[in-house]
Amino acid sequence: MSETNRTIMRIQWRAHKLLWNASGGRLGREIGGLPILELVTKGRKSGEPRQILINYFDHDGSPALVGTNAGRDTDPAWVLNVRADPNARARWDGVWRDVIARELTGTAHAQLWDAAVAANSVYGGYAESLARPIPIVVLTEC
């Protein structure tokens, strides 16, 4: 993805975040056919809350998040944060939940990767252009 496209995407997500926050998570629950959730992690360096909005897809009743970082060859900050502390909060369907973030590896990752690409074909394009594996994180309610 070009830097111009990344900038446009960041602007779109910021506008979406304003709508989301103004409505208490009731508006803007979907983008591109995928539902959205709000994830709040603890910053691995600062210890401060870090909030993002991110697409997810359902995995056996739990949200599964894909760490594409908009096609950059570094893992997104939220992935690094949940690796450091898997305890987080998430809001989807208008409800806040305490969650544990679990990064998938091996066979579990491979099986869910196919479901991720089926949910959003853009993920497959990112994978072809990246040297790093794209993390998949499943959130489980506490």
Side-chain angles (χ1 to χ4, degrees):
M1 174 180 287
S2 74
E3 196 56 41
T4 301
N5 288 343
R6 281 189 187 98
T7 300
I8 291 168
M9 188 168 62
R10 276 189 221 109
I11 291 168
Q12 290 171 332
W13 274 106
R14 284 184 185 135
H16 189 120
K17 186 176 178 179
L18 288 172
L19 176 68
W20 176 276
N21 287 336
S23 70
R26 291 183 304 276
L27 298 177
R29 289 186 182 186
E30 185 177 296
I31 287 183
L34 284 177
I36 301 291
L37 65 73
E38 180 176 2
L39 178 66
V40 180
T41 62
K42 184 168 112 179
R44 69 194 178 286
K45 295 178 185 175
S46 69
E48 297 296 319
R50 301 292 181 221
Q51 178 229 23
I52 62 156
L53 297 180
I54 187 168
N55 292 97
Y56 71 93
F57 65 97
D58 182 75
H59 172 64
D60 295 334
S62 295
L65 316 177
V66 182
T68 63
N69 203 10
R72 287 210 163 103
D73 209 18
T74 57
D75 287 333
W78 68 265
V79 170
L80 301 175
N81 291 344
V82 298
R83 284 177 182 156
D85 183 354
N87 298 293
R89 288 190 45 78
R91 177 170 53 173
W92 67 93
D93 295 333
V95 178
W96 280 105
R97 299 163 171 95
D98 291 321
V99 295
I100 301 291
R102 179 176 51 93
E103 186 174 355
L104 301 182
T105 59
T107 304
H109 181 278
Q111 290 172 343
L112 206 53
W113 178 252
D114 292 337
V117 173
N120 185 350
S121 62
V122 173
Y123 297 150
Y126 286 145
E128 291 173 6
S129 65
L130 294 176
R132 69 176 174 92
I134 296 176
I136 299 175
V137 174
V138 175
L139 303 179
T140 305
E141 287 187 62
C142 296

